[in-house]
């Protein structure tokens, strides 16, 4: 009798030590090895198709990592190390994020020579974890279905299909006879911040806080995920390969890749009066990138407010004319107000990042209104 009870107890102990299971959420991006009881090593994987690394520096800088944690037992502290492919911006690779019950927790790790090691408490049930909050293809689909069903004025349009057959979708708000404002996120697959920012922009557009006169003056076309193949596969571009053929951003006007063609044709069709493009990088200071001096300084003015020390510091960069991006084409051919925002996670809460999405969009709209007023002067 006693023996049998002991047997059950020993079995229960093995179960308790083994009740955490960690699996990869973005196929092919990492391998996961379990060390001692509560230690895991998550190693980012290279793409062999990319060829010599020297040709394309920093393509792996924002290679995504997102794992699912199933904890069948009570809350437990574990150690999870992420071994990076690219250790650039190492001092800015300390923060990480845990998602549980739709709530986000920012965690802080230790950056070693080639990895960041996090100690974190995983709650009972299912959680997700990674160096930056992930926003996948399904997140975009769910969100678009939700806003389309709750707001009669929202139209979700399919612009076309990617090489792997995914739809590129655009949220359109307003009368299409009005001048078009184009907002695009996620040209680069790993830059999840841009999708969070663009989501917040749409929710702001639909809220009472967004001025009615602005809402009625333009038609807004918002693409939260321009590159769903890149997002699904953990690639920066729609397909792995050279910038000239596959980069939706720098080669948007010339690249033959189907995703690039769809986004190019829609941009040319819309001839936007303003084009707001969202990206993300690892440097912790958010950046405003523009072609036209007045537009750039007006946007910065709107962002920094009147008092020094309020909110984030901003980094301003003026782009030299040139290149094959659709942004430059719109600036040159249509005289569009063009601005690109780099919004870094750098340990910011999801809500702060979303607020930054709204603030940057509003700043761009203010600059557009001023530009139009000036153009209307006799
Ligand atoms: Zn980018």
């Amino acid at each position: 009798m006693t023996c049998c009870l002991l047997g059950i107890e020993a079995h229960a102990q093995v179960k308790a030590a083994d009740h955490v299971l960690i699996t990869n959420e973005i196929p092919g991006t990492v391998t996961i090895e379990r060390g001692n009881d509560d230690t895991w090593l998550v190693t980012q994987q290279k793409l062999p198709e990319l060829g010599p690394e020297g040709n394309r520096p920093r393509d792996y800088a924002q290679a995504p990592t997102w794992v699912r944690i199933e904890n069948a037992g009570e809350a437990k502290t574990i150690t999870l190390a992420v071994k990076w492919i690219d250790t650039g911006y190492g001092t800015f690779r300390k923060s990480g994020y845990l998602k549980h019950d739709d709530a986000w927790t920012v965690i802080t790790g230790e950056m070693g020579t080639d990895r960041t090691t996090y100690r974190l408490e995983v709650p009972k049930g299912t959680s997700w974890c990674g160096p930056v909050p992930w926003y996948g293809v399904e997140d975009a689909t769910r969100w678009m279905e939700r806003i389309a069903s709750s707001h009669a004025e929202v139209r979700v349009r399919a612009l076309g299909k990617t090489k792997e057959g995914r739809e590129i979708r655009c949220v359109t708000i307003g009368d299409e006879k009005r001048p078009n404002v184009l907002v695009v996120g996620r040209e680069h697959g790993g830059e999840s911040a841009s999708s969070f920012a663009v989501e917040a922009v749409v929710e702001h557009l639909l809220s009472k806080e967004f001025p009615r006169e602005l809402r009625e003056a333009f038609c807004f076309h918002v693409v939260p995920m321009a590159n769903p193949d890149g997002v699904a596969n953990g690639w920066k571009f729609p397909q792995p390969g050279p910038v000239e053929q596959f980069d939706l951003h720098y080669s948007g006007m010339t690249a033959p890749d189907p995703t690039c063609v769809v986004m190019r044709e829609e941009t040319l069709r819309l001839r936007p009066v303003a084009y707001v493009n969202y990206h993300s990088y690892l440097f912790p200071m958010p950046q405003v990138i523009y072609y036209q001096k007045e537009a750039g300084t007006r946007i910065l003015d709107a962002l920094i407010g009147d008092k020094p020390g309020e909110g984030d510091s901003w980094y301003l960069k003026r782009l030299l004319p040139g290149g094959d991006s659709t942004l430059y084409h719109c600036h040159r051919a249509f005289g569009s107000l063009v601005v690109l925002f780099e919004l870094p996670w750098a340990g910011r809460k999801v809500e702060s990042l979303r607020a930054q999405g709204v603030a940057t969009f509003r700043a761009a709209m203010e600059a557009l209104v001023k530009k139009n007023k000036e153009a209307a002067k006799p």
Side-chain angles (χ1 to χ4, degrees):
M1 203 58 176
T2 317
C3 271
C4 181
L5 276 175
L6 277 174
I8 289 166
E9 228 169 66
H11 180 69
Q13 273 168 11
V14 171
K15 274 277 193 204
D18 206 39
H19 63 218
V20 176
L21 181 69
I22 301 188
T23 51
N24 181 17
E25 283 283 89
I26 315 169
T29 52
V30 295
T31 58
I32 302 174
E33 293 162 74
R34 184 166 187 174
N36 296 330
D37 275 359
D38 60 353
T39 306
W40 280 261
L41 174 64
V42 177
T43 306
Q44 294 191 328
Q45 299 296 299
K46 286 193 177 183
L47 304 166
E49 305 95 305
L50 278 179
E53 219 171 313
N55 291 351
R56 285 169 281 283
R58 292 200 290 183
D59 257 4
Y60 291 116
Q62 293 182 87
T65 289
W66 194 237
V67 298
R68 182 189 186 101
I69 306 173
E70 298 284 356
N71 182 4
E74 293 306 312
K76 182 181 168 70
T77 302
I78 66 163
T79 301
L80 192 146
V82 174
K83 191 175 171 193
W84 306 101
I85 302 173
D86 181 336
T87 53
Y89 298 94
T91 49
F92 308 130
R93 289 181 181 275
K94 285 182 183 166
S95 51
Y97 292 80
L98 181 80
K99 186 186 187 188
H100 182 78
D101 282 345
D102 282 329
W104 298 90
T105 311
V106 181
I107 54 176
T108 307
E110 288 282 322
M111 177 73 188
T113 49
D114 64 350
R115 67 196 66 191
T116 301
T117 304
Y118 307 96
R119 283 281 284 166
L120 66 146
E121 191 181 76
V122 289
K124 187 177 179 168
T126 307
S127 311
W128 290 265
C129 180
V132 304
W134 188 238
Y135 187 109
V137 174
E138 300 75 24
D139 294 311
T141 305
R142 261 196 305 271
W143 171 75
M144 279 189 257
E145 280 168 4
R146 184 167 60 78
I147 55 150
S149 64
S150 53
H151 295 272
E153 64 271 54
V154 167
R155 299 187 296 287
V156 178
R157 302 185 288 128
L159 304 182
K161 285 195 172 167
T162 66
K163 181 169 183 258
E164 294 189 354
R166 294 183 180 86
E167 267 183 355
I168 302 170
R169 296 192 199 106
C170 176
V171 175
T172 296
I173 302 166
D175 186 335
E176 295 203 30
K177 291 186 200 82
R178 296 175 193 153
N180 295 310
V181 170
L182 177 62
V183 181
V184 173
R186 216 57 181 283
E187 291 185 323
H188 294 143
E191 301 172 12
S192 65
S194 62
S195 291
F196 281 91
V198 168
E199 233 193 42
V201 165
V202 171
E203 287 168 17
H204 178 70
L205 272 171
L206 294 167
S207 76
K208 288 193 182 75
E209 277 96 74
F210 191 65
R212 206 175 147 161
E213 64 275 17
L214 282 182
R215 179 137 155 214
E216 289 174 358
F218 303 101
C219 183
F220 299 91
H221 304 267
V222 187
V223 182
M225 190 173 282
N227 174 13
D229 283 2
V231 173
N233 294 300
W235 301 332
K236 181 174 180 178
F237 302 159
Q239 300 173 54
V243 168
E244 303 73 44
Q245 287 176 45
F246 303 115
D247 188 357
L248 184 49
H249 184 71
Y250 285 107
S251 307
M253 285 307 292
T254 47
D257 170 84
T259 297
C260 302
V261 172
V262 167
M263 287 306 296
R264 168 161 75 240
E265 286 180 354
E266 181 65 9
T267 305
L268 296 179
R269 187 185 75 82
L270 291 174
R271 301 173 68 96
V273 288
Y275 185 175
V276 187
N277 196 254
Y278 283 97
H279 287 250
S280 185
Y281 66 174
L282 291 163
F283 194 68
M285 209 185 274
Q287 185 172 212
V288 184
I289 302 174
Y290 58 97
Y291 292 107
Q292 204 218 357
K293 205 175 189 174
E294 288 73 30
T297 45
R298 272 174 189 154
I299 289 166
L300 193 68
D301 270 351
L303 283 167
I304 57 177
D306 298 329
K307 293 177 199 153
E310 266 185 0
D312 286 280
S313 303
W314 289 86
Y315 182 50
L316 194 64
K317 185 166 106 182
R318 187 175 177 193
L319 275 183
L320 293 176
D324 290 324
S325 72
T326 51
L327 273 76
Y328 179 59
H329 182 85
C330 288
H331 160 73
R332 188 175 52 87
F334 311 139
S336 320
L337 180 135
V338 171
V339 61
L340 186 154
F341 295 108
E342 294 273 13
L343 300 183
W345 282 109
R348 285 178 179 81
K349 289 180 178 167
V350 170
E351 275 318 302
S352 311
L353 196 291
R354 282 172 49 90
Q356 224 164 45
V358 172
T360 47
F361 174 69
R362 285 295 296 268
M365 291 307 295
E366 261 183 53
L368 175 64
V369 169
K370 281 187 185 153
K371 182 180 180 241
N372 285 350
K373 272 186 189 152
E374 223 126 275
K377 275 183 193 166

